[in-house]
Amino acid sequence: MGRLYNGHKALHVTVEMAPLAKQGGLGDVLGALPKALRKNGVDARVLLPLFPGVMESAQRRGGCRLLPDRVNIAIDWRVYSGSIYEVDLDGLTVYLLDQPELFTNPRIYPTVLTQSSLLPFVFLSLAALELPGSTGWQPDIIHVHDWSTAIVPIALRWHRHYRALRPNYDVVLTIHNLAHQGIVDSSFLNSWGLTRDSFSLDGLEFYGQANIIKGGVLSSDVITTVSPHYSWDIQTIDGGFGLHGVFSSLRGKLHGILNGIDYDIWNPKTDPLIPANYSPGDISGKAACRRKLLEVCGWEDDGRPIIAFVGRLVQQKGVDILFTALEWMLAESCRAVVIGSGQQQYEDWARQFRERYPEHFWCLTDFDEDLSHLVYAGSDILAMPSLFEPCGLSQMIAMAYGTVPVVRGTGGLADTVIDFDSSDDGTGYIFSDYSTDEFHRAASRATGAYQDKSRWNAVIKNGMNADFSWDAATTAYID
C-alpha cells in the first residue's frame, strides 16, 4: 500500500462514493481521492452509510465483514444503534454504516430538510466519532465533504459530549458545491446535542436559521474547494451564496485544490464500454465511436458535428441558455445529444426537443453510466455553459476522449480549459458572460473549427494530452 506519509491516518466521511453510491460528482471524487492518497502513503479509509443498493454493490466487488462492536448514538433523547461492515475495495478499506431505520432513501438526499430527514446525516456524522471504538483504528485526520457530513466538526466544537474529543483530530472540510448549505430550523440544534452557543454569529446562525456549512467552515481546521478558481468565487457576492464575508475572513485556511479524474475508468485507450479504443497517437477509433452513437440515436451521418451535454439538468449547468441556443443551431450547424436528469421543466424541455427535432436532437432523461462513456467518445463537442461550476469533471473527461469542450470561464472550467483561438496549446473554447448569445458565439467558433480537420485534430490532441490525474491533487492534500 506504500509507506505511511508521516504516519497520517485520514478518515473520509461521505454519503457518496463511486461505485458503491453515487448521485453526482461527489461520488466520483470519493471513488478516486482516498484511493490516490493511499497509493501515496496515507492510511486513508472511508465511512459510508449503507443506503439501499450499497451492500449489493459492495458484495459484487468483494466480501463484507461484519464487525462485532456496534455504534450507539444518542439523538433527541433516543439511542440509535448501528452495525459496521468492513469492505476491502481494491486495497482501500471502506466502513459501511448500517442503520435500517435511517438509511432508507435510495436517492440519498432528502427533498426537504426536516428534523426527521436530517437524522441519517446526524447519525453518520456522530458515528464517525465513535468509529475507533468499533474498528480499533484511530484516525488523526477526519476529512468531511459538503453539508451532509459537516456536522462532524460542528460536533467536535459544540456537542455536549463529543467536543471533549476535539484534541484528537485535525478536520478538513471540502466544499464541492456551496449552493447546498444545509439551512435548517435552529430548534434542531438542541436535539442534536449541541450547546446553546452553537447558535450565534460565530456559529451556525444565518439570518435567523441554522446553516450547517457555515458551522462546519468555522469549526474545521482547513477548508478546501474543488478548484483554485472556486476558492476565489466563494469569496464574492455572486459566488458566496451569503457566506462570502465568512470565507474572506477565513482565507488563511482556505485552499483551492483541483479535482482529478480516474484514468482507470475514463481512458479511451482501455475503456471496455466503447466500441473501439484509441489514443492521442492514433485517434482513428473515435470515428467508430461516433458511428455507434449515431446508430443509438437512429441517425445517418450527415457530416455535422455532434454536441453533447452530460450532467444534471439544472439551472446551475446552464441548461436554459443551452436549449435556447440549440433552437438556432440544430437547423444550421450541429446535432445534439443530451443525457442526464434533474429539474422537471428541463427534462420536459429535452423531451419536447426530441419530438420536434427527431433528426437533430436525442436525449435520455435519466443517467446511464455506461452510455455516458459512448457519448463522451462518440461526440465531437461537449457543452458546459454553467452558471457556476465548482470544478466540473465532464470537461476533463471529454478532453481525455478527444471531445472538445465549450465552457463558460467560471470555477474549475476556467482552471482546466484553454481557449484554442487564443493559444496554440488550447484545449477548447471559452466564453465569459452568462448569456445565450455568448454561448452561441463560442459554440459557433467550435463548429466552424470542426470544418478544418488539421486545426480540429490539433485541439483534440491538445486535450487528450492534458493530464488531469489525481497525482497533483494528492500532493496538495498531503502538503
Side-chain angles (χ1 to χ4, degrees):
M1 296 303 168
R3 66 180 180 85
L4 289 184
Y5 185 89
N6 291 338
H8 283 335
K9 300 177 182 179
L11 175 67
H12 290 263
V13 187
T14 180
V15 295
E16 294 185 48
M17 179 192 178
L20 302 182
K22 176 184 169 182
Q23 290 294 316
L26 173 61
D28 290 314
V29 173
L30 268 296
L33 175 58
K35 181 173 68 173
L37 286 168
R38 194 163 184 86
K39 287 179 179 177
N40 283 273
V42 175
D43 186 0
R45 306 187 187 189
V46 178
L47 176 64
L48 180 74
L50 201 61
F51 281 111
V54 172
M55 178 61 81
E56 293 79 3
S57 183
Q59 288 175 334
R60 287 196 298 270
R61 291 166 172 84
C64 298
R65 181 171 72 93
L66 177 63
L67 301 184
D69 294 323
R70 298 172 66 84
V71 293
N72 300 291
I73 309 293
I75 305 172
D76 198 19
W77 302 100
R78 179 184 163 184
V79 174
Y80 292 86
S81 182
S83 303
I84 305 272
Y85 292 87
E86 184 178 287
V87 179
D88 185 319
L89 199 65
D90 298 323
L92 175 70
T93 298
V94 180
Y95 299 113
L96 302 178
L97 177 63
D98 187 21
Q99 216 298 333
E101 183 182 347
L102 299 180
F103 299 131
T104 59
N105 182 3
R107 297 183 67 86
I108 299 175
Y109 301 100
T111 54
V112 180
L113 300 185
T114 65
Q115 190 154 2
S116 176
S117 70
L118 282 166
L119 268 177
F121 306 98
V122 178
F123 179 76
L124 169 67
S125 297
L126 299 183
L129 302 175
E130 296 283 354
L131 193 68
S134 298
T135 64
W137 178 75
Q138 175 71 53
D140 59 305
I141 296 168
I142 299 183
H143 192 154
V144 300
H145 300 269
D146 277 347
W147 72 266
S148 53
T149 53
I151 295 168
V152 173
I154 289 170
L156 286 171
R157 180 162 177 179
W158 289 293
H159 194 278
R160 294 182 181 90
H161 170 66
Y162 292 109
R163 61 184 174 179
L165 301 179
R166 187 66 181 90
N168 297 344
Y169 301 106
D170 290 319
V171 183
V172 179
L173 166 61
T174 294
I175 296 172
H176 298 258
N177 190 339
L178 190 59
H180 308 286
Q181 297 183 8
I183 299 173
V184 300
D185 192 278
S186 62
S187 64
F188 298 175
L189 304 184
N190 182 59
S191 68
W192 299 346
L194 302 186
T195 56
R196 187 173 298 176
D197 62 338
S198 65
F199 188 68
S200 66
L201 286 176
D202 294 325
L204 284 79
E205 196 277 330
F206 185 75
Y207 298 100
Q209 295 183 286
N211 185 319
I212 295 174
I213 271 291
K214 182 190 174 198
V217 164
L218 291 168
S219 54
S220 297
D221 296 291
V222 172
I223 313 152
T224 70
T225 63
V226 289
S227 70
H229 228 92
Y230 196 52
S231 70
W232 309 328
D233 288 347
I234 63 174
Q235 297 180 59
T236 68
I237 291 175
D238 289 340
F241 291 93
L243 294 177
H244 55 282
V246 174
F247 287 110
S248 293
S249 70
L250 298 174
R251 65 170 63 94
K253 68 175 186 180
L254 178 62
H255 305 268
I257 301 175
L258 184 68
N259 281 342
I261 57 172
D262 189 342
Y263 286 108
D264 290 342
I265 298 171
W266 299 107
N267 188 342
K269 190 174 181 178
T270 57
D271 192 339
L273 299 175
I274 59 177
N277 296 119
Y278 55 97
S279 66
D282 180 7
I283 62 172
S284 58
K286 188 168 175 64
C289 297
R290 175 184 161 93
R291 287 193 295 271
K292 180 62 176 179
L293 180 58
L294 288 166
E295 179 185 324
V296 169
C297 297
W299 297 335
E300 297 292 331
D301 194 348
D302 63 3
R304 287 187 295 166
I306 301 172
I307 294 182
F309 175 90
V310 181
R312 290 179 297 121
L313 296 174
V314 295
Q315 186 182 18
Q316 179 207 327
K317 299 296 183 180
V319 177
D320 50 349
I321 65 173
L322 169 68
F323 281 126
T324 305
L326 286 178
E327 289 270 16
W328 306 337
M329 298 176 66
L330 289 176
E332 60 187 45
S333 60
C334 71
R335 282 167 157 169
V337 173
V338 168
I339 176 173
S341 61
Q343 292 171 253
Q344 190 65 48
Q345 67 189 85
Y346 295 131
E347 291 188 9
D348 291 343
W349 203 350
R351 286 189 285 264
Q352 289 166 13
F353 262 53
R354 185 172 180 178
E355 292 175 6
R356 288 166 56 193
Y357 309 110
E359 291 300 314
H360 310 297
F361 184 92
W362 188 90
C363 70
L364 176 65
T365 51
D366 196 1
F367 191 75
D368 185 318
E369 184 82 33
D370 291 358
L371 181 60
S372 71
H373 285 246
L374 176 62
V375 172
Y376 282 120
S379 300
D380 303 293
I381 297 167
L382 180 84
M384 288 190 73
S386 301
L387 177 62
F388 65 94
E389 193 64 63
C391 178
L393 300 178
S394 290
Q395 80 280 12
M396 293 188 263
I397 295 169
M399 285 185 270
Y401 282 75
T403 297
V404 177
V406 175
V407 305
R408 181 165 174 261
T410 182
L413 300 177
D415 289 319
T416 52
V417 179
I418 303 169
D419 193 276
F420 187 65
D421 285 342
S422 303
S423 175
D424 289 341
D425 62 352
T427 55
Y429 296 87
I430 303 176
F431 66 100
S432 297
D433 294 339
Y434 186 77
S435 72
T436 301
D437 287 344
E438 282 285 293
F439 169 64
H440 184 216
R441 276 192 283 271
S444 295
R445 287 194 289 133
T447 57
Y450 179 79
Q451 308 307 322
D452 183 339
K453 292 306 177 188
S454 62
R455 279 176 54 79
W456 194 247
N457 286 337
V459 69
I460 283 176
K461 290 185 178 181
N462 286 347
M464 293 186 74
N465 284 315
D467 181 6
F468 297 112
S469 68
W470 275 99
D471 292 342
T474 301
T475 299
Y477 277 112
I478 290 173
D479 288 344

